[in-house]
Amino acid sequence: SPNDPWVLERAGITTAQVLAACLPSDAENLALCFVARQRYAVPQVNLSELVRLDSGDAQRKIEFIHGAPVYRLRGRLLPIVDLTDMLRGGTGCELSLPENGSANIVVVQADDHQFGLIVDSVFDTQEIVVKPLSKLLKDAEIFAGATVMGDGKIALILDAPGVARRAGLVGDTPP
């Protein structure tokens, strides 16, 4: 269905299965971002800042060290994870920047590690009812939960420590 996030479709998971797998919910402040025309959310507690690299800046300012993308943020090297690559099953190291060379970086904090997520766009911060995922979907370590937006579409909530583990930025042991 065109309303399902493509990552779920590729995994053969339907919207009904996601909703059925959700446990009781809590409200949380989340920053909404878009990747491949689908909504994802980053918990406000993990959000440090937003960085916009204008036309052409991304190719010039994102460097590679030992094959891993990094961005120099106020003199510190910030590891970069391309969320599009990760959602397609990669580790997030393959950059898929737009042709105009711009980029949106959501700087997140996962425990003691800070890194940047490249997303297509950032929408807004909203208080949203979050439904944690049940054990049936816990294998998707990069997701902490899901929510149904006002238009009926699902937004998956990213788990910053899970994204960091999948990208190889931290050890494999869950907190």
Side-chain angles (χ1 to χ4, degrees):
S1 151
N3 289 339
D4 293 338
W6 61 269
V7 69
L8 294 177
E9 285 181 5
R10 289 184 57 149
I13 300 170
T14 66
T15 301
Q17 287 171 315
V18 170
L19 295 177
C22 290
L23 301 171
S25 57
D26 292 313
E28 213 176 299
N29 283 327
L30 302 166
L32 293 175
C33 57
F34 286 83
V35 175
R37 296 183 307 203
Q38 299 299 324
R39 279 180 271 208
Y40 295 90
V42 177
Q44 187 79 27
V45 297
N46 298 114
L47 181 65
S48 296
E49 65 182 285
L50 303 172
V51 176
R52 168 85 177 150
L53 300 179
D54 290 322
S55 182
D57 284 349
Q59 276 104 358
R60 287 193 318 273
K61 293 186 177 181
I62 294 177
E63 308 168 38
F64 285 84
I65 297 179
H66 301 292
V70 294
Y71 172 69
R72 208 170 289 277
L73 181 65
R74 290 185 290 285
R76 284 190 49 231
L77 289 178
L78 180 72
I80 295 292
V81 175
D82 187 307
L83 196 52
T84 300
D85 178 53
M86 184 167 282
L87 292 169
R88 290 182 177 151
T91 60
C93 286
E94 294 293 325
L95 295 185
S96 56
L97 299 172
E99 289 181 23
N100 69 4
S102 63
N104 294 292
I105 302 174
V106 178
V107 180
V108 295
Q109 186 80 29
D111 301 322
D112 295 332
H113 302 286
Q114 194 173 53
F115 62 95
L117 287 172
I118 292 188
V119 299
D120 296 340
S121 61
V122 179
F123 180 64
D124 199 2
T125 300
Q126 298 179 9
E127 185 171 355
I128 299 173
V129 175
V130 174
K131 298 209 171 254
L133 298 178
S134 77
K135 291 180 183 181
L136 296 174
L137 297 176
K138 282 295 183 188
D139 287 340
E141 71 175 333
I142 66 170
F143 301 117
T147 189
V148 179
M149 303 302 295
D151 60 5
K153 293 182 182 179
I154 291 177
L156 293 173
I157 290 91
L158 296 171
D159 179 66
V163 170
R165 279 192 302 278
R166 168 84 69 81
L169 301 176
V170 296
D172 290 334
T173 307

